[in-house]
Amino acid sequence: ACIYDNFAHNSHGPGPAYLIKTLLPWILPPEVPRIILLDTDTVVLRPIIKLWSVFESFGDRAVIGIAREQSNLYENMVGRNGGVQLMNLVAARASATYVRYLDRIAAGRTGYYVGYLGDQTVYTFMGREAPHLVHDIGCEWNRQLAFHFNMSNATQHCSRPCGILHANMRQVKCVAKLMQEEPSCSNWRKIIDGMTAGVCPPKSRRRNYPMIQKN
């Protein structure tokens, strides 16, 4: 509770709510050893067991598996995106380093301001200062459709077949909703055609999304 209270003062907007995810090792029952955590704007396109198998490649001290941010949001750092997370809850509960790091960030002793994006910014800083705690998962398991705050998007650099689609911007949330209803290639083509017609997203919210293609 003390860590979370301090987190709330070190973030804004939805950041405090997102930061609850970093504390799930102590919120969930101790008999839960590992979880896959998905944002509500994601669509699973390949068998989730294939993502679960990534746990087997975790290092001995890794507590979180997370994909890289596919925009230049974090500029000179390797950013992380929190839309898809593999959490080794057992390792997190046993890691004094993880607890100390959360406490340092929450108390402002790192000099970092967590801000709007909450947990993914914490994991970005953690990946820089305590990389053994963070395991990189493949870009195909968090294919981000949009870019934050007008940053350029690099999603097209991921050449692997998409495993999880992440509609991580308000203007394309409709993509996740429609694909969740029917996660098929034919429905994807309908969505792309709808974008052209101004249906999803509406023309008033459309922007140039070069990463969204029919093929």
Side-chain angles (χ1 to χ4, degrees):
C2 182
I3 288 178
Y4 180 74
D5 288 343
N6 287 333
F7 266 149
H9 294 294
N10 200 20
S11 58
H12 64 274
Y18 297 159
L19 286 163
I20 291 174
K21 291 187 280 186
T22 66
L23 303 175
L24 283 177
W26 299 278
I27 295 173
L28 294 176
E31 57 267 25
V32 179
R34 297 181 292 185
I35 62 170
I36 293 176
L37 185 64
L38 304 177
D39 279 4
T40 57
D41 57 0
T42 57
V43 183
V44 178
L45 300 175
R46 292 169 60 193
I48 199 70
I49 190 64
K50 293 185 177 181
L51 178 58
W52 185 266
S53 68
V54 174
F55 275 118
E56 303 306 318
S57 60
F58 270 37
D60 292 340
R61 295 185 290 172
V63 302
I64 183 79
I66 195 167
R68 297 188 177 191
E69 171 66 35
Q70 292 165 3
S71 77
N72 61 348
L73 173 64
Y74 292 100
E75 297 183 347
N76 297 324
M77 288 191 288
V78 176
R80 315 285 172 165
N81 185 281
V84 178
Q85 300 180 25
L86 277 66
M87 301 190 75
N88 186 336
L89 304 179
V90 172
R93 293 169 185 136
S95 175
T97 304
Y98 181 60
V99 175
R100 282 197 302 268
Y101 196 78
L102 292 182
D103 184 58
R104 286 179 60 227
I105 292 180
R109 294 197 300 272
T110 61
Y112 297 137
Y113 181 68
V114 175
Y116 186 89
L117 295 175
D119 60 312
Q120 75 171 43
T121 298
V122 169
Y123 295 135
T124 294
F125 296 149
M126 186 179 295
R128 182 179 185 176
E129 296 195 1
H132 62 277
L133 297 177
V134 181
H135 178 83
D136 276 328
I137 66 174
C139 57
E140 72 273 23
W141 291 113
N142 187 347
R143 291 293 302 274
Q144 299 147 42
L145 285 185
F147 46 87
H148 289 292
F149 313 125
N150 298 314
M151 299 291 183
S152 61
N153 189 286
T155 302
Q156 63 269 24
H157 295 303
C158 185
S159 59
R160 302 166 187 165
C162 183
I164 294 180
L165 191 71
H166 186 191
N168 59 321
M169 195 173 187
R170 177 174 56 86
Q171 288 88 341
V172 291
K173 297 296 182 186
C174 56
V175 174
K177 183 176 184 298
L178 293 172
M179 284 297 289
Q180 287 167 356
E181 293 171 355
E182 184 188 340
S184 66
C185 292
S186 60
N187 195 38
W188 175 252
R189 284 191 288 271
K190 291 178 184 177
I191 292 170
I192 298 301
D193 291 340
M195 286 182 171
T196 303
V199 176
C200 171
K203 287 182 179 180
S204 61
R205 294 184 179 180
R206 285 205 64 204
R207 304 173 70 169
N208 183 23
Y209 293 99
M211 76 295 294
I212 301 178
Q213 302 172 353
K214 289 188 178 183
N215 58 354

